[in-house]
Amino acid sequence: MKELKVGIIGFGTVGAGVASCLLKNEEVIAGRTGVKVKLHKIADLDITTDRGVAVPEGILTTSVPELMESCDIVVELIGGTTIAKKFILEALNMGKSVVTANKALLAQFGPELFEAAEKNGADLWYEASVAGGIPIIKSLRESFVGNRIESMYGILNGTCNYIFTRMEREKLGFADVLADAQRLGYAEANPSLDIDGFDTAHKAAILASLAYGKWFGMDPVYVEGIRNVSLTEIEYADELGYRIKLLAVIKQNAAGKVEIRVQPALVPKNSPIGGISEVFNGVMVNGDYVGKTLFYGRGAGREATASAVVADIVDVAVNLANGVPRRVSSFRQADLSTGTVSMDEIESRYYLRIQVEDKPGVLGRIATLLSAHGISVDSLLQRPLTEGAENVNIIILTHKAIEKNTRTAVQEIESLAEVSGNVTLLRIEDI
């Protein structure tokens, strides 16, 4: 039986999970694949702290060069976009196949890394970079190869999904739930990467690139976080039959242009995406032949992410054992798009919450401004003026409209004397 040696750079949470899985399930993997995948080296600056994994003697090292020289497959699990990039390029240039979970690095430097892999006849696998243990990368690259991908919708950040779930269930404000999530370990001490949408944006960029054969990078990705979503919006959405989710939206229009955006959006409560709660992730893929498919599971955490990394390691090992590296290209440049759609150009339905003085004619003036910009009202909700309040909330759901026109109309509505403060604008995705 062919034996392949694996080296892991980074012995943190995920690295420890990968080591544990390889050690525990070595015989299971060999029985299923006919290849023995052997944990050979783990490199880290700290090799003395107990990670809860019993590692055989001689595996731990502080020397990355030693690891690269002695291993057939290099696994990068240190994160970041500097030293991780250096190690991956060094490994690829040595002809070593690489497995990584580094979404930020791929989103920013994908073309350079894939070019190095192709040049040196090496594999570069990255299943764990998006949605943890959910096999969405492999599915897009292989299972859906005969489909044109019409759209994808993804809940790709467990921290944000957890926050929205608890806000809805427990009627708590954003700041209170975030603080509790940090205490429980569901959110980082500095949560900005998650709650400002950039973690999801990195993943959306990778999914869009796989679907449409062009590495888009981050420039065309519209990113809007969840800091400004109040309990008021959560409650009104619930009353209207929706939930608010931080949603990655990837679509190709009839002209072939691709839109990639990340934003809090209203989705129907009875939709598959609307039913995903807590820290779970989900991706809905719509292909022209396969139709709608839903992938659901844990999008982060030691075991789920380790499962995805080990799956990539095994794919690489089977390729090497059979002398067919790059049997399936990690990314093939074959531009299936005609460019990207700017945010101003997108079409969407909208949720607008407007605080107004309770005076005759206000609603008519708002409707006139919307109509002047080609925006028609689908439904409207208004609550009576409560005791002690100066303004009433008007909730408007629109039919599909152009983003630029909607924002222009909102600015004009905000300038009305009877309107107080800013209009809350959220998009609606009727999945």
Side-chain angles (χ1 to χ4, degrees):
M1 185 179 289
K2 182 77 172 178
E3 180 176 298
L4 279 302
K5 296 176 180 176
V6 177
I8 301 171
I9 305 174
F11 199 28
T13 300
V14 176
V18 173
S20 173
C21 184
L22 289 174
L23 292 168
K24 180 182 178 182
N25 292 337
E26 180 182 315
E27 296 306 318
V28 172
I29 293 168
R32 287 174 175 164
T33 65
V35 179
K36 188 176 282 290
V37 180
K38 196 80 177 175
L39 178 60
H40 184 67
K41 289 289 179 184
I42 300 172
D44 199 280
L45 293 175
D46 173 13
I47 59 173
T48 59
T49 300
D50 182 11
R51 268 60 168 212
V53 182
V55 177
E57 189 175 348
I59 284 183
L60 292 172
T61 179
T62 58
S63 172
V64 172
E66 177 192 351
L67 178 148
M68 288 194 189
E69 287 291 342
S70 62
C71 292
D72 303 297
I73 303 167
V74 176
V75 182
E76 180 276 307
L77 295 173
I78 56 176
T81 57
T82 52
I83 193 70
K85 179 186 176 186
K86 174 180 178 291
F87 287 152
I88 290 176
L89 287 175
E90 284 178 0
L92 293 172
N93 288 331
M94 292 170 67
K96 308 280 185 176
S97 289
V98 174
V99 173
T100 182
N102 197 327
K103 56 189 171 289
L105 181 63
L106 287 165
Q108 294 182 49
F109 300 107
E112 183 179 353
L113 300 176
F114 294 131
E115 184 181 349
E118 184 173 0
K119 177 183 175 182
N120 294 285
D123 284 322
L124 174 59
W125 265 191
Y126 48 98
E127 181 66 66
S129 66
V130 178
I134 301 173
I136 186 61
I137 300 292
K138 188 178 183 73
S139 297
L140 282 172
R141 190 172 52 214
E142 299 178 36
S143 301
F144 297 150
V145 69
N147 284 260
R148 294 181 181 274
I149 304 301
E150 296 174 351
S151 63
M152 285 186 281
Y153 299 92
I155 295 173
L156 301 174
N157 186 275
T159 298
C160 293
N161 209 41
Y162 174 83
I163 289 171
F164 280 150
T165 299
R166 287 199 55 196
M167 286 176 71
E168 179 187 350
R169 286 181 183 169
E170 301 173 36
K171 309 303 180 190
L172 296 171
F174 172 80
D176 292 333
V177 177
L178 174 59
D180 206 33
Q182 289 171 312
R183 182 182 62 81
L184 294 169
Y186 291 132
E188 301 289 343
N190 179 1
S192 58
L193 190 66
D194 293 320
I195 66 174
D196 291 331
F198 292 101
D199 173 78
T200 299
H202 290 145
K203 297 168 184 176
I206 293 170
L207 292 181
S209 298
L210 278 168
Y212 302 113
K214 176 180 180 178
W215 209 258
F216 294 100
M218 294 300 295
D219 287 345
V221 183
Y222 174 81
V223 187
E224 185 179 318
I226 69 169
R227 290 181 190 267
N228 296 323
V229 179
S230 68
L231 179 59
T232 301
E233 265 57 70
I234 297 280
E235 291 177 327
Y236 275 122
D238 179 59
E239 188 174 345
L240 293 162
Y242 292 92
R243 286 195 174 98
I244 299 178
K245 300 290 184 183
L246 182 66
L247 199 66
V249 179
I250 303 162
K251 294 180 182 179
Q252 187 171 39
N253 65 22
K257 287 190 173 184
V258 176
E259 63 182 77
I260 315 166
R261 49 189 166 96
V262 172
Q263 84 268 302
L266 279 71
V267 299
K269 286 195 288 186
N270 61 0
S271 67
I273 286 285
I276 296 171
S277 61
E278 300 288 345
V279 296
F280 287 89
N281 281 196
V283 185
M284 179 177 280
V285 182
N286 185 18
D288 61 345
Y289 276 80
V290 73
K292 292 182 174 67
T293 60
L294 179 69
F295 296 78
Y296 167 83
R298 290 193 176 275
R302 172 169 146 163
E303 285 78 16
T305 309
S307 173
V309 172
V310 170
D312 277 351
I313 292 170
V314 172
D315 264 353
V316 171
V318 170
N319 286 352
L320 293 175
N322 290 282
V324 286
R326 299 187 61 77
R327 180 184 61 85
V328 177
S329 176
S330 52
F331 180 75
R332 185 173 299 283
Q333 186 78 23
D335 196 349
L336 305 175
S337 72
T338 57
T340 55
V341 181
S342 74
M343 197 60 192
D344 280 349
E345 298 175 283
I346 73 148
E347 267 194 306
S348 178
R349 294 183 61 220
Y350 295 89
Y351 161 103
L352 306 176
R353 180 168 67 88
I354 310 166
Q355 299 178 73
V356 302
E357 295 177 11
D358 191 17
K359 292 181 177 179
V362 176
L363 192 54
R365 283 191 282 277
I366 291 172
T368 298
L369 289 174
L370 291 172
S371 177
H373 293 284
I375 303 159
S376 62
V377 175
D378 177 53
S379 59
L380 183 144
L381 176 67
Q382 180 177 343
R383 287 285 172 262
L385 188 67
T386 57
E387 187 176 349
E390 296 181 0
N391 300 302
V392 296
N393 280 318
I394 295 175
I395 310 299
I396 294 174
L397 304 187
T398 76
H399 288 291
K400 278 194 172 182
I402 303 295
E403 174 88 9
K404 183 178 180 180
N405 295 349
T406 306
R407 288 200 171 275
T408 301
V410 164
Q411 289 175 357
E412 293 179 5
I413 290 168
E414 289 174 340
S415 69
L416 292 174
E418 299 90 346
V419 172
S420 175
N422 294 325
V423 174
T424 299
L425 180 151
L426 294 170
R427 294 161 200 88
I428 303 170
E429 295 294 335
D430 290 306
I431 302 169

